[in-house]
């Protein structure tokens, strides 16, 4: 005979499965791989050029990273669209809308932080981008797969450490090339972490939420 | 007193309830995606899907994309039955709390 306890248990199962079904992977593994490779390539090029000591031979910080963002975001959107078509879902699914709503405030805050950048302030901006990107991923953690939650935690932790470290060592690093330093921060965080994320999620990407 | 005979016995089984719930969240699900979400064996999943299909709750589509793929979707009858099942569960819980 059906009891209210059984009914409650069945409703719990239904709720839990519906939540699982709305888990949304906002970053696909191939897009993370592309972004990681591009980020490391830009950082490596900037480092290499800084060693040449040729006047004017510098990788512009803002332009190059906005280009990496545009290329990676474009690729990510295309891959998400293709995945949605494969599953017979609309591209702007409920999961995507939830993810965008949760992530957007921190991402916009990162964009606004860029406006305060002055010449030589790029390491601070890079650190803030790392921190706020982590916050944006953590904001979507209720309906994100575990791997994205971990990526958010790592970015948040690293961004916080970079900001603290920046305050402590700012004086001793005053003589160093600030733009190259910022490129290296971006390459070591956005580049390396996305490569690790892509490697961890790639084999399981076609199945459930990893 | 609540009439427990109203409960749909086809849906009222953990495996089939899981299938019906997932099918209610998207227009269609592939066999592999259902299996991954529900963590059922191939045999169990096939049996439950067949029961649901035989009762007109689930429609099956077979297509060949880059490889043969079978997808499952709720029929209108299946969706209505699932909604009625949910309503009955809620009524049971409400009745118990009063």
């Amino acid at each position: 005979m059906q009891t209210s306890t059984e009914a409650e248990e069945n409703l719990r199962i239904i709720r839990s499965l519906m939540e699982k079904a709305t888990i949304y992977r906002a970053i696909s593994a191939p897009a993370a791989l592309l972004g990681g490779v591009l980020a490391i390539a830009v950082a490596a090029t900037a480092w290499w050029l800084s060693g040449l000591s040729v006047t004017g031979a510098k990788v512009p910080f803002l332009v190059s990273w906005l280009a990496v963002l545009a290329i990676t975001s474009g690729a990510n959107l295309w891959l998400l669209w293709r995945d949605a078509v494969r599953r017979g879902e609309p591209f702007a699914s409920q999961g995507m809308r939830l993810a965008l709503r949760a992530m957007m405030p921190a991402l916009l805050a990162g964009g606004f932080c860029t406006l305060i950048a002055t010449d030589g302030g790029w390491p601070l901006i890079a650190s803030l981008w790392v921190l706020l990107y982590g916050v944006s991923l953590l904001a979507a953690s209720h309906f994100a797969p575990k791997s994205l939650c971990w990526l958010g935690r790592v970015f948040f932790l690293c961004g916080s450490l970079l900001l603290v470290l920046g305050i402590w060592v700012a004086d001793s690093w005053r003589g160093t090339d600030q733009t190259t330093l910022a490129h290296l921060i971006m390459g070591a965080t956005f580049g390396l972490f996305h490569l690790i994320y892509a490697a961890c999620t790639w084999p399981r990407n076609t199945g459930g939420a990893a | 007193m609540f009439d427990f005979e109203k409960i749909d016995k086809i849906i009222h089984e953990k495996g089939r309830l899981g299938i019906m719930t997932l099918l209610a969240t998207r227009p269609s699900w592939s066999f592999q995606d259902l299996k991954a979400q529900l963590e059922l064996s191939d045999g169990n999943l096939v049996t439950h899907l067949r029961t649901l299909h035989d009762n007109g709750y689930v429609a099956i589509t077979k297509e060949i994309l880059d490889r043969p793929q079978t997808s499952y979707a709720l029929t209108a009858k299946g969706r209505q039955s699932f909604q009625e099942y949910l309503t009955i569960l809620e009524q049971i819980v409400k009745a118990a709390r009063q």
Side-chain angles (χ1 to χ4, degrees):
Chain A
M1 177 176 275
Q2 175 73 27
T3 65
S4 71
T5 316
E6 275 180 276
E8 280 181 23
E9 173 63 12
N10 281 2
L11 284 170
R12 191 194 59 75
I13 291 170
I14 291 166
R15 194 178 303 120
S16 150
L17 277 171
M18 283 194 155
E19 280 171 2
K20 262 175 86 177
T22 55
I23 277 184
Y24 186 73
R25 181 179 292 284
I27 306 170
S28 72
L33 176 69
L34 175 69
V37 168
L38 282 176
I40 286 175
V42 169
T45 308
W47 190 41
W48 178 65
L49 285 176
S50 72
L52 291 180
S53 303
V54 179
T55 310
K58 274 190 173 182
V59 177
F61 183 80
L62 192 58
V63 172
S64 52
W65 290 104
L66 283 179
V68 171
L69 174 69
I71 293 168
T72 312
S73 301
N76 192 42
L77 287 174
W78 180 75
L79 288 162
L80 292 176
W81 171 79
R82 201 183 61 169
D83 205 34
V85 169
R86 185 186 66 82
R87 291 197 309 261
E89 279 184 34
F91 173 57
S93 63
Q94 190 195 0
M96 178 183 258
R97 289 199 298 271
L98 279 171
L100 280 176
R101 208 174 299 150
M103 294 172 77
M104 209 40 89
L107 292 177
L108 286 175
F112 289 131
C113 284
T114 312
L115 299 176
I116 64 167
T118 53
D119 192 27
W122 295 122
L124 172 65
I125 296 303
S127 306
L128 282 170
W129 284 354
V130 172
L131 176 70
L132 289 167
Y133 183 63
V135 172
S136 76
L137 290 177
L138 288 175
S141 60
H142 288 301
F143 40 85
K146 280 180 191 165
S147 49
L148 265 183
C149 301
W150 275 108
L151 190 66
R153 286 182 199 125
V154 170
F155 267 98
F156 179 78
L157 189 68
C158 203
S160 306
L161 286 173
L162 280 167
L163 285 173
V164 173
L165 199 68
I167 294 164
W168 279 352
V169 300
D171 285 341
S172 55
W173 284 3
R174 205 168 288 281
T176 57
D177 179 354
Q178 297 290 293
T179 309
T180 305
L181 180 63
H183 279 301
L184 292 178
I185 289 172
M186 294 294 285
T189 53
F190 283 94
L192 189 63
F193 296 163
H194 279 120
L195 283 187
I196 295 170
Y197 169 83
C200 292
T201 56
W202 199 290
R204 288 178 284 173
N205 211 27
T206 52
Chain B
M1 191 66 186
F2 191 84
D3 181 8
F4 292 102
E5 291 305 309
K6 280 184 186 172
I7 291 221
D8 189 330
K9 302 290 188 299
I10 298 159
I11 301 175
H12 192 59
E13 194 283 332
K14 203 175 170 185
R16 291 196 289 273
L17 175 62
I19 294 169
M20 292 294 285
T21 304
L22 290 182
L23 293 181
T25 62
R26 285 185 201 161
S28 73
W29 281 74
S30 71
F31 185 85
Q32 288 306 322
D33 287 348
L34 280 175
K35 192 182 152 194
Q37 285 285 347
L38 295 168
E39 295 172 359
L40 290 172
S41 67
D42 282 15
N44 260 336
L45 186 53
V46 166
T47 306
H48 288 317
L49 283 168
R50 193 180 299 137
T51 304
L52 293 168
H53 176 65
D54 291 346
N55 283 280
Y57 288 5
V58 168
I60 303 173
T61 310
K62 293 187 183 197
E63 54 189 339
I64 298 173
L65 301 169
D66 43 341
R67 61 194 168 88
Q69 189 171 308
T70 308
S71 57
Y72 301 87
L74 278 188
T75 60
K77 181 186 172 187
R79 192 168 294 277
Q80 191 181 340
S81 299
F82 184 63
Q83 279 168 355
E84 285 168 5
Y85 177 79
L86 279 179
T87 307
I88 289 169
L89 286 190
E90 284 165 359
Q91 283 173 359
I92 292 170
V93 173
K94 269 185 198 166
R97 284 178 183 168
Q98 279 167 3

